[in-house]
Amino acid sequence: MAVDTVSMEKIVSLCRRRGFVFPSSEIYGGLGSTYDYGHYGVLLKNNVKARWFEAMILERDDIVALDSAVILHPRVWEASGHVEGFSDPLVDCRTCKLRFRADKLEDSQCGRKPSKQPGEYKECDLTEPRQFNLMFETTVGAVQEAGSRAYLRPETAQGIFINFKNVLQLARRRPPFGIAQVGKSFRNEITPGNFLFRVREFEQMEMEYFVPPAESEQWYRYWIDERLAWYLRHGLRRSRLRVREHGPEERSHYSQGTSDIEYLYPIGWSELEGVANRGDFDLTRHTEFSSTKLEYVGQDGERYVPHVIEPAVSVERIIVALLVDAYDEEVVGERERTVLRFHPHVAPVTAAILPLIAKDDGMVSKARSLYEELRKRHSVEYDDNGAIGRRYRRQDEIGTPWAFTVDEQTLADDTVTVRDRDSLAQERLPLASVRDWLDDALEREWQTPQPD
Ligand code: ATP
């Protein structure tokens, strides 16, 4: 199916219908652009995080894990530059009372005339842009006094920088080495929207890679390639991914080089992940503000402040990209089906186990025992609810790659059918070999059947 037939509306509606993602606080009228994850959404999210964690930590020797606090010492955010500079230019419209990002007016709709952008319609009356800090403030402690103001972290990276010394000493690392973490970040976005693409609360996966200064450019290129390869390995189409290098005018104050890995979302090419060469900015600033020296000192007395390469992404932007890339509609035997062609390593459910007739004790007993066997090692689902065609379609919509069906023949010869989500091919297998078959299928190289 052509990419332009996948709209954000279709993705939102499928996510809702199949219990991936719900609008949050719905029974209270909803809280705009905030979402809750249902069962399949949680499984999908967990898989995305697990694949990232494997690639960043488990399959390497040079990166360690960290889980830092959400609320850090307020000085952290002064040192990082967020108190002073983590802001977007905001304009208000005095007519419709809506707020817009002054640098993204072309992506916004006028409150009175949605076909126009803010400022274009004759009734628009926009204020001058002013800077709006995106950090959520909170108060720590029981008394609301000036000294106890704190922030919810807008990125996980700073928690890593302030633990640099701990890791260097206790994990006994020397550059090049990295520290990776996954956790919630909060940004009071002026114009959240496009489903999970821009939300105020999201889960970031960030890795700070500390390198000798002379090697920073080489490692910056290395991480762009590594991250791009990770997306391809998990099924995203090459034609829907591109790397866009920022020009000097677009870069953050700390950056010596930034590239966005962009995905062709239904809203157009947009940032999926950022890879930045942050130089020595962060460690130098935290040294200055905390009076703790953050540097590497080698056995031979060599000392330097490492430079930092950072690949940073949110689970949310990956989930939207995976959903958009996997979404397909087709007509099979005069019936339409919607299918999510997920890579088997990210699919929320790896296999469904279906007794053909729910009331047949023999089938149920064989299907249940297969299910009990497979669930020890895989995310599998037992489903005996409704006609078999409807059950297949349900599994297609949540992206389950394989379904094992127990039928009359199983009772006679202990074989089951395995149905492939993408090709719809069915083959028969001995019940006793299903476990090995599934292990092998998961080891196989996988390529999306979607047209590139
Ligand atoms: P944008 O320009 O889209 O606002 P950014 O350049 O501010 O993003 P970074 O600060 O580089 O984003 O954040 C790193 C990553 O975190 C982004 O590449 C994106 O994957 C994710 N991210 C940032 N803001 C949001 C958000 N509001 N909702 C979901 N994910 C986000």
Side-chain angles (χ1 to χ4, degrees):
M1 190 170 68
V3 72
D4 49 11
T5 57
V6 188
S7 61
M8 212 59 119
E9 290 71 33
K10 284 184 182 176
I11 297 293
V12 174
S13 143
L14 172 63
C15 283
R16 165 110 227 207
R17 188 165 76 242
R18 290 301 177 194
F20 281 86
V21 180
F22 311 116
S24 184
S25 309
E26 228 181 350
I27 62 170
Y28 288 97
L31 180 64
S33 298
T34 312
Y35 297 91
D36 297 336
Y37 288 83
H39 182 69
Y40 297 123
V42 174
L43 295 179
L44 179 59
K45 224 174 159 190
N46 286 347
N47 286 345
V48 168
K49 288 188 278 185
R51 299 295 84 81
W52 187 87
F53 199 82
E54 272 163 20
M56 284 297 184
I57 292 161
L58 302 180
E59 292 168 1
R60 306 181 60 104
D61 297 324
D62 55 349
I63 303 181
V64 295
L66 180 81
D67 189 358
S68 68
V70 166
I71 298 175
L72 303 175
H73 193 292
R75 291 274 286 166
V76 169
W77 306 109
E78 288 172 30
S80 68
H82 282 80
V83 170
E84 202 186 336
F86 191 57
S87 51
D88 281 335
L90 165 101
V91 291
D92 287 294
C93 177
R94 296 187 190 90
T95 313
C96 69
K97 311 289 181 222
L98 291 178
R99 294 192 145 170
F100 307 100
R101 251 175 83 168
D103 58 337
K104 299 260 175 183
L105 287 179
E106 66 281 8
D107 299 336
S108 309
Q109 291 179 333
C110 163
R112 287 282 160 89
K113 196 152 180 83
S115 60
K116 299 217 175 257
Q117 70 180 53
E120 279 186 349
Y121 185 49
K122 59 179 186 310
E123 289 177 22
C124 294
D125 183 9
L126 302 185
T127 60
E128 283 299 305
R130 64 199 157 87
Q131 290 301 318
F132 173 77
N133 196 299
L134 302 184
M135 282 197 293
F136 278 101
E137 280 185 23
T138 188
T139 310
V140 175
V143 186
Q144 220 163 356
E145 60 200 17
S148 58
R149 183 205 289 171
Y151 304 97
L152 303 188
R153 65 179 176 198
E155 62 176 32
T156 61
Q158 300 304 323
I160 295 179
F161 298 129
I162 61 174
N163 278 289
F164 171 77
K165 203 172 166 192
N166 287 334
V167 175
L168 197 66
Q169 286 174 348
L170 301 173
R172 291 183 302 157
R173 300 285 156 171
R174 52 184 307 222
F177 77 96
I179 308 177
Q181 84 165 320
V182 178
K184 286 253 170 150
S185 290
F186 303 83
R187 295 183 186 181
N188 199 1
E189 299 277 1
I190 298 167
T191 42
N194 292 313
F195 192 36
L196 299 167
F197 181 85
R198 189 178 300 284
V199 278
R200 295 197 171 102
E201 176 181 337
F202 51 97
E203 222 167 343
Q204 273 190 319
M205 306 196 288
E206 294 192 297
M207 194 277 292
E208 308 303 319
Y209 200 70
F210 300 94
V211 303
E215 296 174 17
S216 68
E217 177 65 17
Q218 160 204 335
W219 285 110
Y220 168 58
R221 300 284 156 203
Y222 168 88
W223 279 108
I224 296 170
D225 293 347
E226 276 295 296
R227 295 304 303 148
L228 187 60
W230 186 86
Y231 289 107
L232 295 170
R233 207 157 66 236
H234 295 96
L236 292 190
R237 279 170 277 181
R238 183 66 190 86
S239 59
R240 313 268 137 102
L241 285 163
R242 73 178 187 194
V243 175
R244 188 181 66 80
E245 185 132 22
H246 288 202
E249 70 299 338
E250 201 186 342
R251 279 188 220 142
S252 315
H253 52 288
Y254 54 75
S255 169
Q256 301 193 354
T258 298
S259 290
D260 289 346
I261 298 179
E262 295 188 331
Y263 181 76
L264 185 54
Y265 292 96
I267 50 173
W269 287 103
S270 311
E271 176 177 343
L272 166 59
E273 169 157 355
V275 181
N277 177 351
R278 301 174 70 114
D280 63 1
F281 176 81
D282 305 278
L283 293 182
T284 305
R285 289 280 287 195
H286 285 300
T287 296
E288 208 179 292
F289 278 67
S290 69
S291 306
T292 302
K293 263 206 160 137
L294 302 176
E295 60 177 7
Y296 170 72
V297 183
Q299 303 266 332
D300 52 1
E302 176 201 23
R303 60 172 67 215
Y304 59 85
V305 178
H307 283 207
V308 173
I309 310 302
E310 175 197 77
V313 65
S314 67
V315 179
E316 282 72 9
R317 288 208 186 163
I318 296 179
I319 284 185
V320 180
L322 288 173
L323 285 162
V324 167
D325 216 83
Y327 188 94
D328 198 8
E329 290 167 356
E330 66 178 2
V331 177
V332 183
E334 294 181 10
R335 293 189 69 164
E336 224 179 71
R337 74 164 184 154
T338 300
V339 51
L340 289 179
R341 302 188 191 275
F342 282 138
H343 188 296
H345 293 177
V346 299
V349 176
T350 308
I353 293 95
L354 317 170
L356 184 65
I357 302 168
K359 291 206 176 86
D360 185 301
D361 291 344
M363 288 185 202
V364 166
S365 141
K366 286 199 186 282
R368 290 259 6 147
S369 69
L370 179 61
Y371 170 60
E372 294 301 337
E373 184 189 350
L374 296 181
R375 75 189 300 189
K376 291 189 195 123
R377 290 149 59 105
H378 300 289
S379 166
V380 289
E381 191 169 276
Y382 178 85
D383 186 5
D384 63 3
N385 197 351
I388 193 74
R390 280 190 46 198
R391 281 184 265 161
Y392 283 144
R393 254 178 294 286
R394 209 175 79 79
Q395 295 298 335
D396 288 342
E397 285 207 355
I398 62 168
T400 307
W402 300 289
F404 298 103
T405 306
V406 171
D407 54 18
E408 285 91 353
Q409 203 181 321
T410 315
L411 303 179
D413 64 4
D414 268 338
T415 60
V416 289
T417 58
V418 52
R419 170 189 183 267
D420 184 277
R421 173 198 68 200
D422 298 324
S423 66
L424 294 174
Q426 301 209 9
E427 63 176 295
R428 275 206 98 79
L429 299 175
L431 245 182
S433 68
V434 169
R435 197 173 115 176
D436 288 347
W437 187 95
L438 193 56
D439 287 346
D440 288 349
L442 284 166
E443 290 278 309
R444 275 200 297 270
E445 189 97 345
W446 188 88
Q447 268 212 314
T448 178
Q450 302 276 68
D452 206 4

